[in-house]
Amino acid sequence: MEIKAPVSRWKQVAEYLRERILDGTFPAGQALPSEQQLAEEFGLSRPTIRNAINELKAAGLVEVQRPKGTFVRSPSARPARADHRGLTRTATGGYVDSDQESWREVDSPSHLRINSALPQAELLAIPPGEPMLVRMALERADGVARMRRLSVPFSVAQDTPWADDPALPAPSEVYGYFDPRGRLSWQEYVRARMPLPDEAETLKAMPGTPVLHITRVATLDKRPVALEEVVVCGDALEAVYTITASKPRSR
């Protein structure tokens, strides 16, 4: 391949590799040559080759599996991690996510008091602008990062121990507090969207990569009491749900 100006060198390399992927020279599942090999082949620096690989990654054509290398993606390929959505009740009466043991918080969580926006207010059945106690944490598992946010309206929190100590505990402890006080239930909403600038920076999302936004509303005796939100790169994780059929309705 001959490198030409004025098109950026990394764009030329990315286009060359893209064509080889689409014509089957590099089939799905096959590893691309290493950065060093490509740098030697094209007479370019490794950072230049890395920019080309990042372009292919942003286009969804390849995925980087460290330390194995860069592999061509299949349209039906699954993300690096499957997150089994659900809750498990603990021996102490709390609730934890089915996969929570594998997720670890990065640094200490942040505790804030934020006025609710309209979408949050609608889910929590509160007036827009009502203050909420918020716990924000960054978590990692198997090299995948996710942002996790827990919000409790102040109208709910004022009757709890957190009224005097606004540092909300982890969701499992919040659910454990409400559990003996009524019937707890949850509903989840999953959607894809483009990340906000701070989300893209925190999650190290490549340009053009959407995020999965998973929203869980906890309800106590039909009253929403907590809102839990998870934001994760859409190419890094798939949400898995177990579905069971309901009993036939009696006529």
Side-chain angles (χ1 to χ4, degrees), residues 198-215:
D198 63 318
E199 294 171 337
E201 181 179 358
T202 299
L203 297 173
K204 310 299 182 188
M206 293 300 301
T209 302
V211 294
L212 282 182
H213 189 151
I214 305 175
T215 303

Side-chain angles (χ1 to χ4, degrees), residues 69-85:
T70 302
F71 293 82
V72 179
R73 292 186 62 186
S74 164
S76 58
R78 301 178 66 184
R81 179 176 175 80
D83 201 17
H84 293 268
R85 305 295 300 169

Side-chain angles (χ1 to χ4, degrees), residues 2-79:
E2 181 183 356
I3 300 298
K4 303 177 181 179
V7 179
S8 300
R9 291 180 172 86
W10 66 267
K11 283 187 175 292
Q12 295 181 59
V13 173
E15 180 61 20
Y16 172 82
L17 293 174
R18 186 186 73 83
E19 291 177 356
R20 300 293 81 76
I21 290 171
L22 296 180
D23 69 15
T25 302
F26 296 123
Q30 178 175 317
L32 293 182
S34 68
E35 288 182 2
Q36 184 61 42
Q37 290 173 322
L38 290 172
E40 292 175 357
E41 178 180 349
F42 297 124
L44 301 172
S45 67
R46 289 186 63 175
T48 300
I49 298 300
R50 194 171 299 124
N51 285 339
I53 297 299
N54 286 339
E55 175 80 359
L56 297 176
K57 182 180 177 183
L61 294 173
V62 302
E63 60 179 345
V64 179
Q65 300 179 12
R66 294 186 176 87
K68 296 179 180 179
T70 302
F71 293 82
V72 179
R73 292 186 62 186
S74 164
S76 58
R78 301 178 66 184

Side-chain angles (χ1 to χ4, degrees), residues 78-86 97-103 139 141-142 144-148 188 190 212 214 216 228 230-233 236-242:
R78 301 178 66 184
R81 179 176 175 80
D83 201 17
H84 293 268
R85 305 295 300 169
D97 280 339
S98 301
D99 282 355
Q100 187 57 42
E101 287 186 2
S102 59
W103 290 97
E139 301 178 333
D142 302 329
V144 176
R146 72 178 186 181
M147 300 170 67
R148 196 177 187 201
E188 284 200 347
V190 182
L212 282 182
I214 305 175
R216 174 185 290 167
E228 188 179 350
V230 169
V231 178
V232 61
C233 287
L237 180 143
E238 63 181 2
V240 181
Y241 294 85
T242 299

